[in-house]
Amino acid sequence: KHPSTTSDTDDDKASKPKKRRRAEIQIDMTGDIDRHGPQSVDDFERHLLGEPDNSVLWIRYMQFHSDLGEFDQVRQIGERAIKTIGLGQDAEKMNVWEVLLSLEAVQGTDESVEDTLKRACEWNDPQEAHSRLTSIYIRSGKLDKAEELFQTMLKKFGQDRKVWINYATFLFDKAADAEKARQLLPRALRTLPQLTHVEITSKFAQLEFHSMSGVPERGRTIFE
């Protein structure tokens, strides 16, 4: 759904400052878009006249300026994209917000991330905006930030079983803290409706089997 980032050649990587490379890794969501497409500001502006709702094109335009280290321009183009993309194109707008969140997570401050997240929640589904930022933190290795955000999501969206499952998966697979993940299950069962209990208990059991930090015997016990 969200293509992984492409990488430069080794020579290109060696010639770029580390900070700039890191920003590119985090905000390039264009995947295998035609590399013979827009190559200049005029090219992008011309293409966007014909495809104003195309978030991939906007994101590639943002990446173009990110590669030049022009991060204020990245922000300005993102704001233009949000205002330009038409009504009903929620997924396209959310893609642009994800890039803005990613930019702030790499180049900004805690305050700028919080402000961007707040604004993203005003324009989009708040749970989806939080989820996108959590994924950004995980991809960038900021696991402490991801865990803080998961805790926030439990408070805000704890009636959704997916939040509990995603947090448990993060703890098992990324944070390698299976014990903390196990402590989530009784909390989830106290919070979630009865009809979800079999499903979420089964998910926790599967994590014991499939995660490197899990214990299959515990999984069998949970299934029993």
Side-chain angles (χ1 to χ4, degrees), residues 48 52-53 58 77-87 93:
L48 285 168
D53 294 337
W58 283 106
I77 292 166
E79 296 293 340
R80 274 184 59 199
I82 290 163
K83 293 175 182 176
T84 302
I85 295 173
L87 293 174
K93 287 179 182 287

Side-chain angles (χ1 to χ4, degrees), residues 43-73:
D43 285 347
F44 280 109
E45 294 292 347
R46 184 168 60 253
H47 278 72
L48 285 168
L49 285 174
E51 300 182 81
D53 294 337
N54 186 340
S55 64
V56 172
L57 190 55
W58 283 106
I59 289 167
R60 188 171 176 191
Y61 194 8
M62 296 165 77
Q63 183 67 59
F64 172 80
H65 283 287
S66 177
D67 290 344
L68 299 173
E70 298 171 348
F71 301 117
D72 284 342
Q73 283 291 101

